[in-house]
């Protein structure tokens, strides 16, 4: 049977938002049955085995015997080339699966490629472990040479993991079991979510269109969507509770073996951020709930002439907001114009996503919900996935994901090992791209009501990015903490969810029955535990960064693009220095939050 190739369809999808582009994944591979996929998988297997044969058990002695660093530099270069090839294969399988996660042939392909990559990479596990056992003085001497000095940031970063590494065979077991462990549960979550259907007004909807109805102008449609979501979630609560419990237990086992003390310490290490910095961020945001979300939702309820808003009205369009759908060409123009006003170079990179078909925009059955920009690998280029439906928020999502895309293109110059950016700065370019687009639209808006709607929309987005994500982080901490004492029922998870949401949203949002299960669809809890604080980190950081930009005489854009181009070669604190920003300063986060508070002040003055 011939496999379907969703990546090479020439026709674009037509919708109310205009002609929507579908990505062309042929820059990676021409199809899931392409001979190049088989060729590269075989090459991957052979390269990994050869690498292990040539280097395993020899790193410490050879590096000490050859102080020039040339032998080790060659090993790192070969490791990097394998990483790039694995990135190409893994990215392609992941993107095809995101485009259609319910097609059996695609699901099989995704599973098979993931398994092959895991098996091949077993031969590479020794490298980081042995490299970290090389004496500090020996490594330092080797890195004095030009060949190895290039990889200094990666080697130094790697050595931060040293205290948490286990004996080689245990690492191998953890790695090999991941396919039948957390990776399998991640896949079950994806396939379950994609397969769910929600009955609204006689129509069976997938999750993305159902969630989008929560932003519909008609109150009865929002209510019907919320009730349909609640009903289907309730019917599937045992599955989602099992997935959540299993993954929390899996993480607890891993953390215990590695010696991590706090449930989020492994995430902080991966982000290269200090626990006290994250704690300061979380503390500042939670203290600011009354000034931010509580105050804004009180204001929003008044605009709807109510004392309280039902939870399904939280993201309702404002009564004075403009109606109508924003066509795709208009959204593209809005974002690129804003980017160009800041930096022609940045706009030029963003434009490539449109001209070269690096974006998949339409809503399709089986397509992954939400949006992302996948960096793939430096020898290729990023791809953006969206579910564009013409809402103003969709335009901001486009600006957000293109910010990621620009960042990924610029950082790719560092090569596969040093291109990835820690999550602390990974959201910076995306949120900055949103801010540029918002400020451009605000400057062009003359009508007082339209200006009020735009400002309120931005505040809502910032609350969703800062308040909501810190509430998510608090929820995860509670779940993972309580899981250490035994399994949590779906009911108990729902109680924790309601407590955290009630604290963050405030008294003006009425959490009606059914909302207790809305934790079930958040993919970050499953795929990237404790990732969510990176959004708040990025938003507050960008607020401070944007203030520097508005007051800068010249040269800001150049410094900003240099920061993005650094990728993972520098610690976030080093990258922020040229802008005079220090995240360790307790007042830093308050400054970022005051930007949101100031916008709410302005909205109160308009009411």
């Amino acid at each position: 049977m011939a496999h379907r190739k969703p990546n090479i369809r020439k026709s674009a999808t037509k919708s109310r938002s205009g002609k929507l582009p579908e990505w062309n994944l042929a820059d990676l591979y021409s199809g899931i049955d392409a001979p190049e996929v088989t060729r590269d998988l075989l090459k991957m297997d052979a390269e990994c085995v050869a690498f292990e044969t040539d280097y395993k058990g020899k790193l410490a002695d050879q590096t000490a015997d050859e102080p020039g660093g040339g032998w080790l530099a060659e090993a790192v270069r070969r490791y990097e080339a394998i990483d790039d090839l694995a990135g190409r294969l893994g990215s392609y399988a992941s993107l095809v699966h995101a485009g259609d996660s319910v097609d059996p042939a695609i699901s099989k392909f995704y599973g098979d490629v993931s398994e092959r990559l895991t098996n091949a990479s077993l031969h590479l596990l020794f490298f980081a472990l042995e490299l970290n056992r090389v004496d500090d003085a020996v490594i330092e001497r080797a890195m004095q040479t030009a060949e190895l000095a290039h990889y200094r940031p990666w080697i130094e970063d790697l050595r931060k993991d040293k205290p948490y590494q286990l004996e080689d065979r245990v690492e191998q077991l953890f790695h090999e079991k991941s396919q039948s462990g957390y990776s399998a549960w991640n896949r079950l979550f994806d396939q379950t979510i994609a397969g769910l259907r929600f009955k609204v007004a006689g129509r069976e909807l997938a999750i993305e269109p159902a969630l989008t109805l929560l932003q519909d102008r008609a109150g009865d449609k929002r209510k019907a969507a919320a009730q349909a979501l609640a009903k289907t979630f309730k019917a599937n609560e045992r599955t989602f509770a099992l997935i959540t419990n299993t993954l929390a237990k899996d993480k607890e086992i891993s953390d215990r073996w590695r010696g991590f003390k706090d449930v989020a310490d492994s995430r902080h290490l991966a982000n290269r951020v200090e626990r006290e910095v994250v704690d300061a961020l979380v503390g500042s945001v939670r203290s600011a709930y009354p000034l931010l979300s509580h105050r804004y939702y009180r204001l929003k309820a008044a605009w709807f002439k109510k004392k309280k808003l039902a939870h399904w009205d939280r993201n309702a369009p404002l009564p004075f907001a403009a109606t109508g759908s924003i066509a795709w060409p208009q959204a593209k123009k809005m974002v690129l114009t804003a980017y160009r006003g800041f930096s022609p170079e940045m706009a030029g990179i963003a434009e490539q996503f449109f001209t070269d078909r690096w974006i998949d925009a339409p809503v399709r059955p089986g397509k992954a919900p939400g949006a992302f920009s996948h960096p793939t690998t430096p020898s290729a280029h990023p791809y953006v996935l969206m579910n564009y439906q013409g809402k103003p928020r969709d335009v901001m999502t486009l600006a957000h994901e293109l910010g990621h895309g620009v960042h990924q293109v610029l950082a790719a110059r560092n090569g596969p090992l040093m291109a990835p950016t820690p999550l602390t700065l990974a959201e910076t370019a995306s949120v900055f791209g949103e801010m540029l687009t918002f400020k451009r639209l605000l400057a062009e808006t003359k009508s007082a009501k339209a200006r009020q709607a735009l400002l309120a929309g931005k505040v809502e987005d910032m609350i969703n990015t800062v308040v909501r994500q810190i509430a998510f982080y608090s929820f995860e901490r509670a779940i993972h903490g309580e899981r250490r004492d035994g399994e949590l029922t779906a009911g108990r998870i729902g109680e924790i969810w309601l407590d955290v949401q009630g604290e963050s949203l405030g008294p003006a949002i009425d959490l009606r029955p059914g909302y207790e299960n809305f934790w079930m669809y958040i993919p970050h809890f499953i795929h990237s535990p404790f990732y969510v604080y990176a959004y708040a980190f990025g938003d507050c950081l960008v607020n401070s960064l944007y203030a520097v930009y508005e007051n800068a005489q010249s040269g800001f854009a150049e410094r900003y693009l240099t920061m993005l181009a650094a990728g993972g070669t520098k610690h976030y604190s080093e990258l922020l220095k040229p802008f005079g920003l220090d995240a360790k300063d307790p007042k830093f986060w308050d400054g970022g939050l005051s930007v949101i508070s100031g916008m709410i002040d302005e909205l109160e003055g308009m009411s």
Side-chain angles (χ1 to χ4, degrees):
M1 186 184 81
H3 293 308
R4 206 174 69 181
K5 303 183 184 71
N7 53 306
I8 54 172
R9 282 178 281 189
K10 295 290 189 289
S11 62
T13 302
K14 192 83 175 164
S15 80
R16 284 178 299 173
S17 306
K19 204 176 180 186
L20 297 177
E22 297 186 24
W23 54 27
N24 172 24
L25 298 179
D27 291 349
L28 295 170
Y29 296 99
S30 61
I32 62 175
D33 51 2
E36 291 81 7
V37 173
T38 305
R39 177 202 69 196
D40 284 355
L41 283 168
L42 290 170
K43 184 182 177 185
M44 177 82 188
D45 290 341
E47 294 282 353
C48 289
V49 170
F51 187 85
E52 184 178 40
T53 302
D54 292 347
Y55 298 110
K56 189 172 184 180
K58 302 169 188 174
L59 283 183
D61 292 342
Q62 283 288 121
T63 306
D65 292 345
E66 294 191 32
W71 184 86
L72 184 56
E74 175 59 24
V76 176
R77 273 196 297 273
R78 280 179 61 181
Y79 183 83
E80 184 172 46
I82 293 170
D83 189 82
D84 189 82
L85 183 61
R88 181 175 286 269
L89 287 160
S91 299
Y92 178 69
S94 176
L95 290 169
V96 171
H97 188 248
D100 188 347
S101 62
V102 294
D103 182 292
I106 289 173
S107 289
K108 174 177 165 49
F109 173 76
Y110 175 63
D112 288 349
V113 170
S114 300
E115 197 169 307
R116 284 284 292 275
L117 290 175
T118 300
N119 292 341
S121 63
L122 287 172
H123 298 287
L124 306 178
L125 272 180
F126 78 91
F127 190 60
L129 300 172
E130 280 194 31
L131 197 56
N132 276 348
R133 292 192 194 112
V134 176
D135 185 75
D136 288 347
V138 172
I139 278 281
E140 185 54 46
R141 189 175 62 208
M143 288 193 297
Q144 297 303 316
T145 61
E147 280 188 287
L148 201 59
H150 169 72
Y151 293 105
R152 176 184 281 274
W154 179 74
I155 292 169
E156 288 183 343
D157 215 31
L158 196 66
R159 290 175 85 79
K160 290 174 185 170
D161 296 325
K162 192 175 177 177
Y164 307 100
Q165 285 179 182
L166 303 169
E167 185 264 319
D168 289 20
R169 283 181 61 77
V170 178
E171 288 288 356
Q172 184 176 337
L173 179 64
F174 269 44
H175 190 68
E176 210 164 337
K177 289 280 281 181
S178 69
Q179 280 301 296
S180 56
Y182 67 83
S183 293
W185 291 96
N186 272 255
R187 192 172 157 195
L188 175 63
F189 173 84
D190 289 346
Q191 291 181 355
T192 305
I193 279 288
L196 293 182
R197 291 298 175 263
F198 306 88
K199 195 166 185 177
V200 185
R203 287 195 303 152
E204 297 277 338
L205 300 177
I207 190 160
E208 195 66 35
L211 289 170
T212 299
L213 282 176
L214 295 177
Q215 298 169 40
D216 198 275
R217 189 162 288 279
D220 58 339
K221 286 186 182 176
R222 295 194 298 271
K223 182 178 180 179
Q227 290 175 337
L229 286 160
K231 185 177 181 181
T232 300
F233 288 155
K234 179 68 178 172
N236 290 273
E237 66 179 4
R238 289 179 65 190
T239 301
F240 287 106
L242 179 59
I243 293 170
T244 300
N245 273 289
T246 304
L247 286 170
K249 182 62 180 177
D250 183 87
K251 187 176 185 306
E252 185 271 323
I253 293 167
S254 178
D255 284 354
R256 179 162 35 86
W257 275 73
R258 294 188 183 283
F260 289 112
K261 301 300 180 198
D262 184 78
V263 290
D265 275 353
S266 58
R267 173 61 63 195
H268 302 333
L269 178 69
N271 286 350
R272 302 302 187 238
V273 66
E274 302 77 14
R275 190 201 296 176
E276 57 270 25
V277 171
V278 178
D279 289 348
L281 163 66
V282 173
S284 291
V285 174
R286 289 183 72 177
S287 297
Y289 285 168
L291 285 171
L292 304 177
S293 45
H294 296 192
R295 191 159 60 116
Y296 174 75
Y297 291 128
R298 193 163 59 239
L299 201 55
K300 184 167 184 174
W303 291 331
F304 280 87
K305 297 182 169 46
K306 293 179 179 178
K307 284 190 176 179
K308 285 187 174 189
L309 291 174
H311 66 259
W312 52 75
D313 293 330
R314 185 174 61 84
N315 286 322
L318 299 169
F320 44 80
T323 56
S325 184
I326 299 165
W328 179 257
Q330 191 184 350
K332 172 184 170 181
K333 186 182 177 186
M334 284 176 182
V335 176
L336 290 181
T337 302
Y339 275 31
R340 196 168 289 111
F342 174 73
S343 161
E345 182 187 350
M346 193 162 122
I349 297 169
E351 196 150 16
Q352 270 191 282
F353 283 78
F354 298 95
T355 56
D356 296 350
R357 288 177 59 203
W358 298 353
I359 302 178
D360 194 83
V363 176
R364 288 191 304 271
K367 181 177 173 180
F372 62 71
S373 180
H374 194 309
T376 74
T377 194
S379 63
H381 55 75
Y383 281 97
V384 163
L385 177 140
M386 289 187 66
N387 284 272
Y388 189 83
Q389 299 184 72
K391 308 278 185 193
R393 192 167 271 128
D394 292 342
V395 180
M396 289 302 165
T397 299
L398 178 62
H400 181 101
E401 299 307 337
L402 285 174
H404 277 308
V406 168
H407 194 175
Q408 289 158 356
V409 168
L410 289 169
R413 299 164 192 174
N414 298 297
L417 299 181
M418 292 180 288
T421 306
L423 290 182
T424 41
L425 285 178
E427 294 299 332
T428 304
S430 51
V431 179
F432 196 84
E434 277 190 75
M435 184 65 91
L436 286 172
T437 306
F438 165 70
K439 291 284 189 177
R440 165 71 61 161
L441 291 175
L442 196 64
E444 292 173 356
T445 303
K446 306 303 175 199
S447 150
K449 279 294 175 195
R451 190 178 170 83
Q452 185 181 10
L454 199 59
L455 200 59
K458 182 59 179 170
V459 168
E460 285 202 11
D461 284 345
M462 292 169 107
I463 286 172
N464 282 333
T465 305
V466 177
V467 170
R468 187 165 166 79
Q469 302 304 325
I470 292 302
F472 282 177
Y473 178 72
S474 301
F475 170 74
E476 285 189 279
R477 289 194 63 85
I479 295 297
H480 283 258
E482 203 165 301
R483 178 64 183 89
R484 293 187 169 190
D485 299 323
E487 282 207 13
L488 288 79
T489 63
R492 177 58 189 147
I493 299 172
E495 286 173 9
I496 295 170
W497 173 256
L498 289 177
D499 285 347
V500 169
Q501 292 297 308
E503 179 201 15
S504 66
L505 298 173
I509 298 291
D510 185 11
L511 303 178
R512 303 275 180 90
Y515 189 68
E516 67 276 4
N517 282 334
F518 272 54
W519 54 270
M520 292 180 186
Y521 74 91
I522 311 296
H524 297 90
F525 298 157
I526 305 303
H527 294 305
S528 310
F530 304 107
Y531 177 106
V532 287
Y533 73 72
Y535 289 112
F537 195 110
D539 201 286
C540 290
L541 192 153
V542 165
N543 288 341
S544 300
L545 200 59
Y546 204 87
V548 175
Y549 166 52
E550 289 187 313
N551 296 314
Q553 298 303 309
S554 63
F556 181 91
E558 290 76 11
R559 278 183 287 154
Y560 174 75
L561 294 179
T562 299
M563 177 181 79
L564 299 189
T569 62
K570 293 180 180 177
H571 190 260
Y572 75 90
S573 57
E574 199 179 341
L575 290 170
L576 292 178
K577 262 182 198 166
F579 305 97
L581 300 174
D582 179 11
K584 287 185 178 174
D585 182 343
K587 294 176 184 172
F588 174 81
W589 301 115
D590 294 336
L593 295 170
S594 70
V595 172
I596 309 174
S597 182
M599 287 183 178
I600 299 173
D601 290 344
E602 196 176 336
L603 283 170
E604 283 183 334
M606 292 175 170
S607 298

